[in-house]
Amino acid sequence: INYISTHEKESTIYLLKQQITVTKPLKYFQDILDDRFIQSHKACLINKDNILAFDKVSRVIKFKNGDTTDLVSVRFLKSIRQ
């Protein structure tokens, strides 16, 4: 898993080569996933082990497989930088 984003009542799980959409809230994943997953936005959990680069200016995370997300809020910047 690279990251999980949620919109309304659906969460999309972004895997290395595919996406899966489920009807679970982000909180569900926060409760079952380990500490490799950190919140980058109120609607996004990221797997910090799969981050290739983080652009602090544009607030875009690039993953090892080439995927990117801009679901990064100022509130969660500190946890991403660690």
Side-chain angles (χ1 to χ4, degrees):
I1 298 175
N2 277 336
Y3 68 101
I4 302 167
S5 68
T6 189
H7 179 70
E8 295 181 4
K9 294 183 179 185
E10 292 185 337
S11 293
T12 303
I13 304 166
Y14 293 84
L15 304 170
L16 296 178
K17 295 184 180 185
Q18 65 180 347
Q19 300 172 11
I20 301 169
T21 301
V22 296
T23 54
K24 298 277 186 194
L26 199 62
K27 176 78 170 118
Y28 171 81
F29 296 103
Q30 286 175 306
D31 291 342
I32 64 167
L33 294 172
D34 60 32
D35 61 355
R36 290 177 294 164
F37 291 85
I38 57 175
Q39 196 160 6
S40 65
H41 185 274
K42 68 179 182 178
C44 188
L45 287 176
I46 59 171
N47 181 345
K48 62 185 178 183
D49 288 352
N50 289 342
I51 295 174
L52 177 65
F54 173 53
D55 185 324
K56 296 173 190 167
V57 176
S58 62
R59 294 198 316 240
V60 172
I61 296 171
K62 183 173 184 177
F63 295 94
K64 292 176 183 176
N65 72 340
D67 284 352
T68 61
T69 184
D70 62 355
L71 289 174
V72 178
S73 68
V74 173
R75 180 177 168 194
F76 296 105
L77 279 177
K78 188 176 180 179
S79 64
I80 296 168
R81 291 180 183 158
Q82 293 177 353

